[in-house]
Amino acid sequence: MERTADSGTSLRIAIQKDGRLTEKTIDLLEGIGLRFDNYKRSLMLQCRNFDVELLLIRDDDIPEYVQDGVCDLGFVGGNVTAETGADVSVLHGLDFGICRLSLAAPKDGDIKTVKDFEGKTIATSYPNLTQSYLKKNGVNANIVTISGAVEIAPRLEVADAICDLVSTGNTLKANGLEELEVIFESETELIQTNKTLSPGKQKLIEKFMQRIDGHQQAERSRYIMMNAPRSAVPDIKDIIPSLKSPTVMPLADEEMAAVHTVIPIEQFWEVMEKLKAAGASGIVILPIESMIL
Ligand code: ATP
Ligand code: MG
């Protein structure tokens, strides 16, 4: 019997088979408690403890598989989804695979602004995104679609400039190219099919999403414990940017108290310094596995 999005309860999730996103995606799935056998060898993987199967494919194919309901969910770069124009819903941005799609040209050439691309040849693996950006800017250029090693196209005189993914910019620099315009900002996303799903699958997706939310929250937070003189506790409460009121517990030394709470990771150093200044000591920071607010 043909599998359709509105039949059955087992979720089928597409992930990249072998590339930059693979390990981080598997880490995330394992981080939310899903267990798989050796993923490197199969195209299809059954999860041992959740009603999920993984389909491991090239990232280019993921948006369309999800659009068509062959897979219910997919983990893929926003750049790929946007390029394919697939009809899917983005459920979640996931803080990895962060990059940007940029126009770049030889450093010492005459292309410096978007208008300078007029009449030029641009090599890219993202012809649709590139074309629509140029069109928006009223620029006509000749786009050459190539699938890899785009950054060497100008040196090979295949193109005057390129439009390619950049994360650090080192690859561009190493090839004598200058990044001129960011045309798309991207991160890995969890996408869902817009086909109707069975109620069983919808429930499972809700459960799955709750775990991802908890995991993301936990990754951005730290559990912090410290001791402080009781008299300093009001000041300490004011310093802590916690979501909930901190836990304050008595210690054997009656003058002292223990304070426990959760703080956002980006405020960690600033808060630490202030806490020390307010009289806190023995400050311990712990990672959090997951959290439900
Ligand atoms: P596949 O064989 O699955 O088609 P690929 O070669 O197209 O793989 P990868 O190079 O593995 O793709 O990149 C996968 C995704 O990683 C990109 O689509 C993008 O979302 C993200 N990414 C993050 N940083 C970069 C970068 N510096 N260069 C390329 N991709 C990046
Ligand atoms: Mg690809």
Side-chain angles (χ1 to χ4, degrees), residues 132-144:
S132 76
Y133 183 82
L134 293 173
K135 201 168 160 207
K136 222 170 50 198
N137 284 279
V139 173
N140 273 304
N142 175 28
I143 293 180
V144 181

Side-chain angles (χ1 to χ4, degrees), residues 16-22 57-62 76-80 96-100 126 147 164-169 171 186-188:
Q16 191 186 21
K17 177 165 174 51
D18 183 18
R20 289 172 196 260
L21 308 184
T22 310
I57 52 180
R58 286 200 60 186
D59 68 345
D60 313 59
D61 299 329
I62 294 176
V76 65
N79 52 310
V80 179
F96 66 90
I98 291 168
C99 59
R100 53 197 189 270
Y126 295 86
S147 62
D164 202 11
L165 293 177
V166 184
S167 47
T168 60
T171 309
S186 186
E187 64 179 341
T188 308

Side-chain angles (χ1 to χ4, degrees), residues 85-97:
D87 175 21
V88 295
S89 299
V90 176
L91 295 186
H92 226 303
L94 305 156
D95 295 330
F96 66 90

Side-chain angles (χ1 to χ4, degrees), residues 106-123:
K107 204 168 172 352
D108 32 12
D110 54 359
I111 305 175
K112 295 292 170 206
T113 70
V114 62
K115 299 285 174 208
D116 300 335
F117 284 87
E118 181 68 36
K120 301 288 199 235
T121 302
I122 306 173

Side-chain angles (χ1 to χ4, degrees), residues 194-233:
N194 285 333
K195 300 261 186 219
T196 308
L197 294 170
S198 68
K201 280 189 191 177
Q202 274 168 15
K203 272 216 184 89
L204 213 54
I205 290 180
E206 273 168 39
K207 243 170 99 175
F208 188 74
M209 289 300 295
Q210 210 172 49
R211 290 197 189 186
I212 290 193
D213 278 336
H215 186 264
Q216 298 270 103
Q217 283 271 6
E219 283 218 313
R220 293 190 205 114
S221 308
R222 289 293 178 270
Y223 193 82
I224 178 167
M225 312 192 281
M226 74 208 84
N227 293 340
R230 280 187 169 277
S231 57
V233 169

Side-chain angles (χ1 to χ4, degrees), residues 36-259:
F36 304 93
D37 294 318
N38 188 357
Y39 70 89
K40 293 223 161 106
R41 275 188 241 133
S42 343
L43 277 177
M44 195 88 119
L45 268 186
Q46 193 66 45
C47 176
R48 278 193 261 128
N49 58 349
F50 204 85
D51 206 359
V52 157
E53 62 183 4
L54 296 184
L55 185 66
L56 290 96
I57 52 180
R58 286 200 60 186
D59 68 345
D60 313 59
D61 299 329
I62 294 176
E64 275 158 30
Y65 270 54
V66 173
Q67 168 184 273
D68 298 345
V70 176
C71 293
D72 308 303
L73 301 176
F75 286 90
V76 65
N79 52 310
V80 179
T81 306
E83 176 64 22
T84 58
D87 175 21
V88 295
S89 299
V90 176
L91 295 186
H92 226 303
L94 305 156
D95 295 330
F96 66 90
I98 291 168
C99 59
R100 53 197 189 270
L101 184 63
S102 290
L103 285 165
K107 204 168 172 352
D108 32 12
D110 54 359
I111 305 175
K112 295 292 170 206
T113 70
V114 62
K115 299 285 174 208
D116 300 335
F117 284 87
E118 181 68 36
K120 301 288 199 235
T121 302
I122 306 173
T124 186
S125 305
Y126 295 86
N128 296 329
L129 290 175
T130 307
Q131 190 62 271
S132 76
Y133 183 82
L134 293 173
K135 201 168 160 207
K136 222 170 50 198
N137 284 279
V139 173
N140 273 304
N142 175 28
I143 293 180
V144 181
T145 307
I146 50 181
S147 62
V150 171
E151 63 280 2
I152 61 166
R155 254 195 293 152
L156 299 177
E157 295 182 18
V158 175
D160 301 304
I162 66 165
C163 188
D164 202 11
L165 293 177
V166 184
S167 47
T168 60
N170 287 341
T171 309
L172 290 184
K173 262 194 217 131
N175 287 282
L177 299 166
E178 183 180 7
E179 185 176 0
L180 298 170
E181 297 267 335
V182 176
I183 75 163
F184 190 86
E185 306 258 11
S186 186
E187 64 179 341
T188 308
E189 293 171 343
L190 175 60
I191 56 171
Q192 181 183 329
T193 187
N194 285 333
K195 300 261 186 219
T196 308
L197 294 170
S198 68
K201 280 189 191 177
Q202 274 168 15
K203 272 216 184 89
L204 213 54
I205 290 180
E206 273 168 39
K207 243 170 99 175
F208 188 74
M209 289 300 295
Q210 210 172 49
R211 290 197 189 186
I212 290 193
D213 278 336
H215 186 264
Q216 298 270 103
Q217 283 271 6
E219 283 218 313
R220 293 190 205 114
S221 308
R222 289 293 178 270
Y223 193 82
I224 178 167
M225 312 192 281
M226 74 208 84
N227 293 340
R230 280 187 169 277
S231 57
V233 169
D235 282 350
I236 287 177
K237 276 191 184 165
D238 286 345
I239 294 167
I240 291 170
S242 69
L243 304 163
K244 298 228 168 91
S245 178
T247 308
V248 180
M249 288 169 288
L251 289 176
D253 175 349
E254 283 177 10
E255 296 293 301
M256 298 288 286
V259 183

